[in-house]
Amino acid sequence: RGPTRAAGLAAKAYVEKVLPVGALVLVKTYKDRREKYGRYLADIFYYNQMQALICLNQELLEAGLVEPSERVSISSKAWITSL
């Protein structure tokens, strides 16, 4: 429903393509301390066909399938280097 439905379906189709059922993923969660409900956020990582670790969040941003939030900054680059 609503004006963002088509964009949401496009993002969903992209995720289904790069992460088939049974794909191995790494999930880094952290608490959003900037908002009053204390929600948890996540950075999602997966290995591509060349066995490179990819941040799905960043990939969706770069593909234009999601919009960045002013409240959230992806900390994945710093986290990847610590693996």
Side-chain angles (χ1 to χ4, degrees):
R1 288 186 198 181
T4 60
R5 179 169 167 71
L9 291 174
K12 178 184 178 214
Y14 184 85
V15 172
E16 288 175 338
K17 182 179 86 173
V18 298
L19 292 177
V21 173
L24 177 66
V25 297
L26 285 155
V27 180
K28 177 190 173 221
T29 61
Y30 48 96
K31 194 169 191 171
D32 184 358
R33 300 185 193 282
R34 297 185 213 178
E35 54 101 31
K36 66 181 179 179
Y37 298 109
R39 295 180 180 120
Y40 279 84
L41 304 172
D43 290 334
I44 310 296
F45 300 89
Y46 71 96
Y47 290 98
N48 66 8
Q49 293 175 346
M50 299 181 67
Q51 296 304 309
L53 189 62
I54 305 296
C55 178
L56 180 62
N57 307 51
Q58 189 65 39
E59 199 171 39
L60 289 169
L61 279 169
E62 290 171 2
L65 295 169
V66 297
E67 294 181 14
S69 169
E70 293 178 12
R71 293 184 305 122
V72 179
S73 63
I74 295 178
S75 58
S76 59
K77 289 185 181 178
W79 191 72
I80 287 175
T81 59
S82 68
L83 287 178

